[in-house]
Short mmCIF file of all heavy atoms in Angstrom, two decimals:
data_model
loop_
_atom_site.label_atom_id
_atom_site.label_comp_id
_atom_site.label_asym_id
_atom_site.label_seq_id
_atom_site.Cartn_x
_atom_site.Cartn_y
_atom_site.Cartn_z
N ASP A 24 54.49 80.43 60.22
CA ASP A 24 54.35 79.85 61.56
C ASP A 24 55.66 80.03 62.32
O ASP A 24 56.63 79.32 62.08
CB ASP A 24 53.99 78.37 61.42
CG ASP A 24 53.73 77.74 62.77
OD1 ASP A 24 54.01 78.39 63.80
OD2 ASP A 24 53.26 76.60 62.79
N HIS A 25 55.67 81.00 63.25
CA HIS A 25 56.90 81.30 63.99
C HIS A 25 57.27 80.24 65.01
O HIS A 25 58.36 80.26 65.56
CB HIS A 25 56.78 82.67 64.68
CG HIS A 25 56.96 83.81 63.73
ND1 HIS A 25 56.04 84.12 62.77
CD2 HIS A 25 57.98 84.68 63.58
CE1 HIS A 25 56.47 85.16 62.08
NE2 HIS A 25 57.64 85.52 62.55
N THR A 26 56.35 79.30 65.26
CA THR A 26 56.71 78.25 66.21
C THR A 26 57.51 77.13 65.55
O THR A 26 58.00 76.24 66.22
CB THR A 26 55.46 77.64 66.90
OG1 THR A 26 54.67 76.97 65.91
CG2 THR A 26 54.64 78.71 67.60
N HIS A 27 57.60 77.16 64.22
CA HIS A 27 58.39 76.15 63.52
C HIS A 27 59.48 76.80 62.69
O HIS A 27 59.90 76.26 61.67
CB HIS A 27 57.50 75.29 62.62
CG HIS A 27 56.57 74.42 63.39
ND1 HIS A 27 55.26 74.77 63.65
CD2 HIS A 27 56.77 73.24 64.02
CE1 HIS A 27 54.70 73.81 64.38
NE2 HIS A 27 55.59 72.89 64.62
N LEU A 28 59.92 77.99 63.11
CA LEU A 28 60.90 78.74 62.32
C LEU A 28 62.29 78.55 62.91
O LEU A 28 62.56 78.95 64.03
CB LEU A 28 60.49 80.22 62.35
CG LEU A 28 61.23 81.18 61.45
CD1 LEU A 28 61.18 80.72 60.00
CD2 LEU A 28 60.59 82.56 61.57
N LYS A 29 63.15 77.92 62.14
CA LYS A 29 64.53 77.68 62.59
C LYS A 29 65.42 78.82 62.09
O LYS A 29 65.12 79.44 61.07
CB LYS A 29 65.04 76.36 62.01
CG LYS A 29 64.20 75.16 62.36
CD LYS A 29 64.40 74.78 63.80
CE LYS A 29 63.70 73.46 64.10
NZ LYS A 29 63.62 73.22 65.55
N PRO A 30 66.53 79.05 62.77
CA PRO A 30 67.50 80.02 62.23
C PRO A 30 67.91 79.63 60.81
O PRO A 30 68.06 78.45 60.51
CB PRO A 30 68.68 79.91 63.21
CG PRO A 30 68.04 79.48 64.49
CD PRO A 30 66.93 78.54 64.08
N GLY A 31 68.02 80.62 59.95
CA GLY A 31 68.35 80.37 58.55
C GLY A 31 68.12 81.62 57.74
O GLY A 31 68.17 82.73 58.28
N ILE A 32 67.84 81.46 56.44
CA ILE A 32 67.54 82.60 55.57
C ILE A 32 66.31 82.25 54.74
O ILE A 32 66.26 81.18 54.11
CB ILE A 32 68.74 82.94 54.66
CG1 ILE A 32 69.93 83.38 55.52
CG2 ILE A 32 68.35 84.03 53.65
CD1 ILE A 32 71.18 83.71 54.73
N TYR A 33 65.35 83.14 54.75
CA TYR A 33 64.08 82.91 54.07
C TYR A 33 63.74 84.10 53.17
O TYR A 33 64.19 85.22 53.42
CB TYR A 33 62.95 82.75 55.11
CG TYR A 33 63.22 81.67 56.12
CD1 TYR A 33 64.02 81.92 57.24
CD2 TYR A 33 62.68 80.40 55.96
CE1 TYR A 33 64.28 80.92 58.18
CE2 TYR A 33 62.92 79.39 56.90
CZ TYR A 33 63.72 79.66 58.00
OH TYR A 33 63.97 78.68 58.93
N VAL A 34 62.93 83.83 52.16
CA VAL A 34 62.36 84.93 51.38
C VAL A 34 61.08 85.36 52.07
O VAL A 34 60.11 84.59 52.11
CB VAL A 34 62.08 84.52 49.92
CG1 VAL A 34 61.34 85.64 49.19
CG2 VAL A 34 63.39 84.20 49.21
N SER A 35 61.11 86.58 52.64
CA SER A 35 59.94 87.08 53.36
C SER A 35 58.87 87.55 52.38
O SER A 35 57.69 87.28 52.57
CB SER A 35 60.36 88.21 54.28
OG SER A 35 59.26 88.79 54.92
N ARG A 36 59.28 88.29 51.36
CA ARG A 36 58.33 88.71 50.33
C ARG A 36 59.09 89.16 49.09
O ARG A 36 60.26 89.53 49.15
CB ARG A 36 57.42 89.83 50.83
CG ARG A 36 58.12 91.07 51.30
CD ARG A 36 57.13 92.08 51.86
NE ARG A 36 56.19 92.51 50.83
CZ ARG A 36 54.88 92.68 51.06
NH1 ARG A 36 54.38 92.50 52.24
NH2 ARG A 36 54.08 93.08 50.08
N GLN A 37 58.39 89.12 47.96
CA GLN A 37 58.93 89.59 46.68
C GLN A 37 57.87 90.44 46.03
O GLN A 37 56.75 89.98 45.81
CB GLN A 37 59.26 88.41 45.76
CG GLN A 37 60.56 87.72 46.12
CD GLN A 37 60.90 86.59 45.17
OE1 GLN A 37 60.14 85.66 45.02
NE2 GLN A 37 62.05 86.69 44.51
N ASP A 38 58.21 91.70 45.77
CA ASP A 38 57.28 92.54 45.05
C ASP A 38 58.00 93.73 44.43
O ASP A 38 59.00 94.20 44.95
CB ASP A 38 56.12 93.01 45.95
CG ASP A 38 56.60 93.60 47.27
OD1 ASP A 38 57.80 93.88 47.39
OD2 ASP A 38 55.76 93.80 48.15
N ARG A 39 57.48 94.20 43.30
CA ARG A 39 57.98 95.35 42.57
C ARG A 39 59.51 95.31 42.37
O ARG A 39 60.20 96.33 42.45
CB ARG A 39 57.58 96.64 43.28
CG ARG A 39 56.09 96.95 43.09
CD ARG A 39 55.60 98.03 43.99
NE ARG A 39 55.48 97.57 45.35
CZ ARG A 39 55.14 98.34 46.39
NH1 ARG A 39 54.92 99.61 46.20
NH2 ARG A 39 55.02 97.84 47.58
N GLY A 40 60.04 94.13 42.13
CA GLY A 40 61.46 94.00 41.86
C GLY A 40 62.33 93.93 43.11
O GLY A 40 63.55 93.88 43.01
N PHE A 41 61.70 93.96 44.27
CA PHE A 41 62.45 93.88 45.52
C PHE A 41 62.21 92.53 46.19
O PHE A 41 61.09 92.03 46.19
CB PHE A 41 62.00 94.99 46.49
CG PHE A 41 62.21 96.37 45.96
CD1 PHE A 41 61.14 97.11 45.46
CD2 PHE A 41 63.48 96.94 45.94
CE1 PHE A 41 61.34 98.39 44.95
CE2 PHE A 41 63.67 98.22 45.44
CZ PHE A 41 62.59 98.95 44.94
N THR A 42 63.28 91.99 46.75
CA THR A 42 63.15 90.77 47.55
C THR A 42 63.56 91.10 48.98
O THR A 42 64.64 91.64 49.22
CB THR A 42 64.03 89.63 47.01
OG1 THR A 42 63.70 89.41 45.65
CG2 THR A 42 63.80 88.35 47.81
N THR A 43 62.66 90.81 49.92
CA THR A 43 62.96 91.00 51.34
C THR A 43 63.40 89.67 51.91
O THR A 43 62.62 88.72 51.95
CB THR A 43 61.74 91.50 52.11
OG1 THR A 43 61.30 92.73 51.52
CG2 THR A 43 62.06 91.76 53.58
N PHE A 44 64.68 89.59 52.32
CA PHE A 44 65.20 88.37 52.93
C PHE A 44 65.10 88.45 54.44
O PHE A 44 65.41 89.49 55.05
CB PHE A 44 66.66 88.13 52.52
CG PHE A 44 66.79 87.72 51.08
CD1 PHE A 44 67.10 88.65 50.10
CD2 PHE A 44 66.60 86.40 50.71
CE1 PHE A 44 67.21 88.28 48.77
CE2 PHE A 44 66.71 86.01 49.38
CZ PHE A 44 67.01 86.96 48.41
N ASP A 45 64.65 87.38 55.03
CA ASP A 45 64.53 87.19 56.47
C ASP A 45 65.78 86.43 56.91
O ASP A 45 65.90 85.24 56.64
CB ASP A 45 63.24 86.39 56.72
CG ASP A 45 63.07 85.85 58.13
OD1 ASP A 45 64.07 85.74 58.87
OD2 ASP A 45 61.94 85.49 58.47
N LEU A 46 66.73 87.15 57.51
CA LEU A 46 67.93 86.52 58.05
C LEU A 46 67.65 86.19 59.52
O LEU A 46 67.79 87.03 60.40
CB LEU A 46 69.17 87.44 57.94
CG LEU A 46 69.92 87.44 56.61
CD1 LEU A 46 69.04 87.81 55.44
CD2 LEU A 46 71.12 88.38 56.67
N ARG A 47 67.17 84.99 59.75
CA ARG A 47 66.69 84.61 61.09
C ARG A 47 67.86 84.08 61.91
O ARG A 47 68.44 83.05 61.60
CB ARG A 47 65.60 83.55 60.94
CG ARG A 47 64.82 83.35 62.18
CD ARG A 47 64.00 84.57 62.60
NE ARG A 47 63.00 84.95 61.62
CZ ARG A 47 61.88 85.61 61.91
NH1 ARG A 47 61.62 85.98 63.15
NH2 ARG A 47 61.04 85.95 60.95
N ILE A 48 68.19 84.82 62.98
CA ILE A 48 69.41 84.55 63.76
C ILE A 48 69.14 83.62 64.93
O ILE A 48 69.95 82.75 65.25
CB ILE A 48 70.02 85.89 64.25
CG1 ILE A 48 70.41 86.74 63.04
CG2 ILE A 48 71.21 85.65 65.17
CD1 ILE A 48 70.81 88.17 63.38
N THR A 49 67.99 83.79 65.58
CA THR A 49 67.65 82.91 66.71
C THR A 49 66.30 82.26 66.45
O THR A 49 65.52 82.71 65.60
CB THR A 49 67.57 83.69 68.05
OG1 THR A 49 66.45 84.57 68.00
CG2 THR A 49 68.84 84.49 68.30
N GLU A 50 66.02 81.21 67.18
CA GLU A 50 64.77 80.48 67.01
C GLU A 50 63.67 81.19 67.79
O GLU A 50 63.72 81.25 69.02
CB GLU A 50 64.93 79.04 67.50
CG GLU A 50 63.75 78.18 67.15
CD GLU A 50 64.02 76.70 67.39
OE1 GLU A 50 65.16 76.33 67.73
OE2 GLU A 50 63.07 75.92 67.24
N PRO A 51 62.68 81.74 67.11
CA PRO A 51 61.66 82.56 67.78
C PRO A 51 60.94 81.82 68.90
O PRO A 51 60.54 80.67 68.73
CB PRO A 51 60.69 82.91 66.66
CG PRO A 51 61.50 82.81 65.42
CD PRO A 51 62.47 81.67 65.67
N ASN A 52 60.78 82.48 70.01
CA ASN A 52 60.01 82.00 71.16
C ASN A 52 60.58 80.75 71.81
O ASN A 52 59.94 80.16 72.69
CB ASN A 52 58.54 81.74 70.76
CG ASN A 52 57.92 83.00 70.17
OD1 ASN A 52 58.06 84.08 70.73
ND2 ASN A 52 57.27 82.87 69.03
N LYS A 53 61.76 80.31 71.38
CA LYS A 53 62.36 79.12 71.98
C LYS A 53 63.74 79.44 72.53
O LYS A 53 64.15 78.88 73.55
CB LYS A 53 62.45 78.00 70.96
CG LYS A 53 61.07 77.55 70.54
CD LYS A 53 61.03 76.19 69.91
CE LYS A 53 59.59 75.77 69.67
NZ LYS A 53 59.35 75.24 68.35
N GLU A 54 64.46 80.32 71.85
CA GLU A 54 65.77 80.77 72.34
C GLU A 54 65.64 82.22 72.75
O GLU A 54 64.76 82.93 72.25
CB GLU A 54 66.82 80.69 71.23
CG GLU A 54 67.13 79.31 70.78
CD GLU A 54 68.11 79.32 69.61
OE1 GLU A 54 68.22 80.33 68.90
OE2 GLU A 54 68.75 78.30 69.41
N PRO A 55 66.53 82.70 73.63
CA PRO A 55 66.53 84.14 73.91
C PRO A 55 66.75 84.91 72.61
O PRO A 55 67.56 84.50 71.77
CB PRO A 55 67.72 84.31 74.85
CG PRO A 55 67.98 82.95 75.42
CD PRO A 55 67.57 81.97 74.36
N ALA A 56 66.00 85.99 72.44
CA ALA A 56 66.22 86.86 71.28
C ALA A 56 67.57 87.57 71.46
O ALA A 56 68.16 87.56 72.55
CB ALA A 56 65.10 87.88 71.19
N VAL A 57 68.06 88.16 70.37
CA VAL A 57 69.32 88.90 70.44
C VAL A 57 69.11 90.14 71.33
O VAL A 57 68.09 90.83 71.21
CB VAL A 57 69.77 89.34 69.03
CG1 VAL A 57 71.09 90.11 69.09
CG2 VAL A 57 69.90 88.11 68.11
N ALA A 58 70.05 90.39 72.23
CA ALA A 58 69.94 91.56 73.11
C ALA A 58 69.96 92.84 72.27
O ALA A 58 70.63 92.91 71.23
CB ALA A 58 71.09 91.57 74.11
N PRO A 59 69.20 93.86 72.69
CA PRO A 59 69.11 95.09 71.86
C PRO A 59 70.47 95.68 71.47
O PRO A 59 70.67 96.06 70.31
CB PRO A 59 68.32 96.04 72.76
CG PRO A 59 67.47 95.15 73.59
CD PRO A 59 68.31 93.92 73.87
N ALA A 60 71.41 95.76 72.42
CA ALA A 60 72.70 96.37 72.10
C ALA A 60 73.47 95.53 71.08
O ALA A 60 74.11 96.05 70.16
CB ALA A 60 73.53 96.55 73.37
N ALA A 61 73.40 94.21 71.21
CA ALA A 61 74.09 93.33 70.26
C ALA A 61 73.44 93.44 68.88
O ALA A 61 74.13 93.49 67.85
CB ALA A 61 74.06 91.89 70.76
N MET A 62 72.11 93.50 68.84
CA MET A 62 71.42 93.63 67.56
C MET A 62 71.76 94.96 66.88
O MET A 62 71.95 95.02 65.66
CB MET A 62 69.91 93.51 67.77
CG MET A 62 69.13 93.48 66.47
SD MET A 62 69.59 92.07 65.43
CE MET A 62 68.23 90.97 65.74
N HIS A 63 71.86 96.00 67.67
CA HIS A 63 72.21 97.31 67.12
C HIS A 63 73.61 97.26 66.49
O HIS A 63 73.83 97.78 65.39
CB HIS A 63 72.16 98.34 68.26
CG HIS A 63 72.27 99.76 67.83
ND1 HIS A 63 72.47 100.79 68.72
CD2 HIS A 63 72.22 100.35 66.60
CE1 HIS A 63 72.53 101.93 68.07
NE2 HIS A 63 72.39 101.70 66.77
N SER A 64 74.54 96.56 67.14
CA SER A 64 75.89 96.43 66.57
C SER A 64 75.87 95.57 65.32
O SER A 64 76.57 95.85 64.34
CB SER A 64 76.85 95.83 67.61
OG SER A 64 76.96 96.71 68.72
N ILE A 65 75.04 94.50 65.32
CA ILE A 65 74.91 93.69 64.10
C ILE A 65 74.42 94.57 62.96
O ILE A 65 74.92 94.51 61.83
CB ILE A 65 73.94 92.50 64.31
CG1 ILE A 65 74.55 91.50 65.30
CG2 ILE A 65 73.62 91.82 62.98
CD1 ILE A 65 73.59 90.36 65.70
#
Side-chain angles (χ1 to χ4, degrees):
D24 184 351
H25 283 70
T26 65
H27 292 97
L28 188 55
K29 303 287 188 192
I32 297 179
Y33 304 82
V34 173
S35 176
R36 58 184 298 139
Q37 281 183 301
D38 50 13
R39 287 168 286 176
F41 299 103
T42 305
T43 302
F44 288 97
D45 168 340
L46 276 58
R47 194 65 62 154
I48 298 170
T49 68
E50 189 169 355
N52 304 313
K53 295 199 174 133
E54 294 176 338
V57 180
M62 186 60 102
H63 190 191
S64 297
I65 292 173

